[in-house]
Amino acid sequence: MKKIMVVLSLIATVLFVDPSAFKARATDVPHVIISNDVWLLNDQAEKLFMLPVGYYAEIVGIEGGYYKVIFNGINGMILKNSVSAVGYHTIASGTILTLRINDEYHEFESIKLQRTPDALSESVISMPITATFTFLGEYPTETSGVWYYVNYNQSYGYIKSTRTNISVMKYEPFIPESKTDNMAPTTVEESMPDDDTEPLERNVIKVAIVIGMIVPIMFIVLLIFKTGKTRKYYDE
């Protein structure tokens, strides 16, 4: 009798479970809101590039007075007292952009990426004039203008903005998505036919679903009773 009650309970659970239990839940993830003059720093607290105002960067950890964040796929640190934190339920967009060398430099064979935003610094790699590379951020300087922090063939370095096809970077305003504007996740209820479906068709679909659930349950019932009989035989 106890085994029968367990089986009946299992059937009831499968047939009458609340569909809302299957709904996906969006979880807020901590982000920083980038304000004016906020730099992304490397592990040695050296400046990598300035972050665009109004954008979000995901927080992945905390170390002393810094937030560890990721922006444009680059891991770095931000001073905690330079930003405010907020929860965000989706992936924040970045400012990644594909660039190429300015046409004015096509008389050369290659352009070098520098390790720091300084023409006299160590060279990281030479890029062919026809190459494309990925913009990651800006590094404004007082003496030599704006440099771009870029990625070329997994090598990271700086190139003067005027040597690229976009010498002045303009960012689209970042507008956080609202939860109410997001499309609701599909639920078990929404996967059922619409109300305007023919009654016969709806009934056939429902019967097929019920049969699909009951068959494996009946198989479990047979196993349970077979096991019970076997144990009784050996007890005798």
Side-chain angles (χ1 to χ4, degrees):
M1 179 62 70
K2 183 177 180 180
K3 293 178 180 179
I4 294 176
M5 293 301 296
V6 170
V7 172
L8 292 177
S9 175
L10 179 61
I11 294 174
T13 300
V14 172
L15 295 180
F16 304 107
V17 64
D18 182 4
S20 64
F22 293 96
K23 291 183 180 179
R25 302 296 184 189
T27 303
D28 284 351
V29 174
H31 287 70
V32 297
I33 304 174
I34 300 165
S35 53
N36 290 313
D37 300 332
V38 174
W39 290 87
L40 184 68
L41 312 174
N42 61 18
D43 292 340
Q44 288 75 45
E46 298 169 336
K47 295 176 180 178
L48 286 176
F49 56 86
M50 186 170 284
L51 294 164
V53 176
Y55 277 70
Y56 284 10
E58 182 181 344
I59 299 174
V60 295
I62 299 177
E63 183 176 315
Y66 299 93
Y67 286 124
K68 289 188 172 183
V69 302
I70 184 169
F71 185 80
N72 280 351
I74 301 298
N75 287 285
M77 304 190 303
I78 294 177
L79 281 168
K80 290 171 64 177
N81 60 11
S82 66
V83 292
S84 58
V86 65
Y88 192 47
H89 60 283
T90 188
I91 298 175
S93 62
T95 56
I96 288 178
L97 186 66
T98 299
L99 299 180
R100 56 182 175 79
I101 303 297
N102 191 315
D103 290 340
E104 294 180 1
Y105 293 88
H106 278 195
E107 61 186 55
F108 299 97
E109 292 184 356
S110 63
I111 293 286
K112 293 180 178 179
L113 283 186
Q114 312 298 134
R115 190 165 300 279
T116 63
D118 184 343
L120 300 179
S121 70
E122 179 185 357
S123 173
V124 176
I125 192 173
S126 292
M127 298 188 300
I129 293 301
T130 57
T132 58
F133 45 94
T134 303
F135 167 85
L136 300 170
E138 292 184 76
Y139 194 117
T141 68
E142 295 182 358
T143 57
S144 58
V146 177
W147 293 70
Y148 290 161
Y149 186 64
V150 303
N151 173 25
Y152 171 71
N153 279 358
Q154 303 304 312
S155 293
Y156 296 85
Y158 296 88
I159 182 173
K160 289 198 71 171
S161 65
T162 53
R163 292 183 175 180
T164 74
N165 62 312
I166 302 179
S167 59
V168 178
M169 194 63 60
K170 294 182 180 179
Y171 304 106
E172 292 292 331
F174 173 69
I175 301 175
E177 292 184 21
S178 172
K179 283 186 178 180
T180 57
D181 294 336
N182 290 342
M183 183 179 294
T186 302
T187 65
V188 173
E189 290 173 318
E190 293 169 346
S191 65
M192 295 296 291
D194 297 331
D195 290 338
D196 57 358
T197 306
E198 291 297 325
L200 178 60
E201 183 181 349
R202 290 205 309 269
N203 289 335
V204 170
I205 293 174
K206 289 181 180 179
V207 169
I209 292 173
V210 172
I211 292 175
M213 292 186 294
I214 290 179
V215 169
I217 293 175
M218 294 304 298
F219 179 73
I220 295 173
V221 172
L222 292 174
L223 285 178
I224 292 175
F225 280 101
K226 183 177 180 181
T227 303
K229 289 182 180 181
T230 303
R231 289 178 177 173
K232 185 177 179 181
Y233 172 81
Y234 283 113
D235 287 342
E236 294 175 354

